[in-house]
Amino acid sequence: MAGSESRSEQDSKTMPPAPYCLSKTEKTKFLEVLLSFKGPTGFSSSLAKCVTVKKKLSGLKSHDFHHLMQQILPLATMGLLDEGVRLAIARVSNVWRTICAKVWDPSQYDSVMMDVAFTLCIMEIHFPPSFFDVMTHLMIHVVEELDICGPVNIRWMYPIERYLKTLKGFVQNKA
């Protein structure tokens, strides 16, 4: 009898949500920030057009994801998540902003590598092991590539993709 009571108590209990998950109201607040975001002309596409009626983000280009991750995400999550999770997100954004800067000072290599290592340690504290895949680990190798090859924006594909879109408009025979 005692064993069945403890089993029913365990069945009725639910796990609390993870600290990095947004509730429905927090998700709505996050999307409202994106809806009201007004960036400079040419900064990114209109994020308000990318928020669907079902309260989801869709139709973002890779360039938009870069701006979202580097500048908008730390501001949009302010007051929504636990402090540790917000700190991890802000540090990742700061690391990618440093990596994607137009100017690279090679003397900063050691400090940026330490910053990446510290950021990954903070993320390991607040996120589950299943979160860490190859792309999370990529920050370390991008900083090494930055030291070898120089600024990342020189090797970006965005300008080429935009030019290819222009050329695609000149094609008369679509077949």
Side-chain angles (χ1 to χ4, degrees):
M1 188 62 106
S4 63
E5 288 177 22
S6 63
R7 187 167 214 11
S8 63
E9 288 176 13
Q10 289 176 354
D11 292 341
S12 65
K13 293 181 182 179
T14 58
M15 295 289 290
Y20 52 85
C21 291
L22 294 174
S23 66
K24 287 186 179 185
T25 56
E26 290 173 336
K27 185 177 178 183
T28 304
K29 287 179 185 178
F30 176 76
L31 292 174
E32 284 173 3
V33 169
L34 295 182
L35 281 170
S36 63
F37 177 74
K38 302 266 190 252
T41 305
F43 180 71
S44 65
S45 64
S46 177
L47 294 177
K49 291 179 183 177
C50 297
V51 178
T52 63
V53 177
K54 295 181 181 180
K55 300 292 183 185
K56 292 185 178 182
L57 274 175
S58 66
L60 290 172
K61 307 283 188 221
S62 59
H63 190 257
D64 300 329
F65 278 115
H66 275 269
H67 284 292
L68 185 68
M69 182 175 60
Q70 291 175 19
Q71 274 135 28
I72 302 166
L73 193 61
L75 297 173
T77 57
M78 207 176 284
L80 296 180
L81 298 169
D82 289 345
E83 185 177 350
V85 177
R86 281 195 323 255
L87 176 67
I89 290 171
R91 289 188 67 92
V92 168
S93 297
N94 189 29
V95 165
W96 280 109
R97 208 173 312 124
T98 303
I99 289 170
C100 296
K102 290 185 178 183
V103 178
W104 168 248
D105 183 12
S107 65
Q108 291 180 335
Y109 175 75
D110 291 331
S111 65
V112 174
M113 280 302 280
M114 289 297 291
D115 198 28
V116 168
F118 189 69
T119 300
L120 289 174
C121 289
I122 290 174
M123 289 176 67
E124 286 177 1
I125 293 170
H126 297 288
F127 292 95
S130 61
F131 177 78
F132 296 95
D133 59 357
V134 176
M135 295 307 290
T136 313
H137 178 74
L138 183 69
M139 283 192 289
I140 295 170
H141 297 294
V142 172
V143 174
E144 291 172 352
E145 181 183 323
L146 182 65
D147 191 45
I148 295 169
C149 302
V152 176
N153 67 335
I154 296 170
R155 299 180 307 277
W156 271 350
M157 291 299 295
Y158 302 131
I160 295 165
E161 288 173 0
R162 277 190 235 123
Y163 185 62
L164 286 174
K165 182 181 181 214
T166 304
L167 292 176
K168 194 175 177 182
F170 295 132
V171 175
Q172 296 295 322
N173 184 359
K174 304 290 183 186

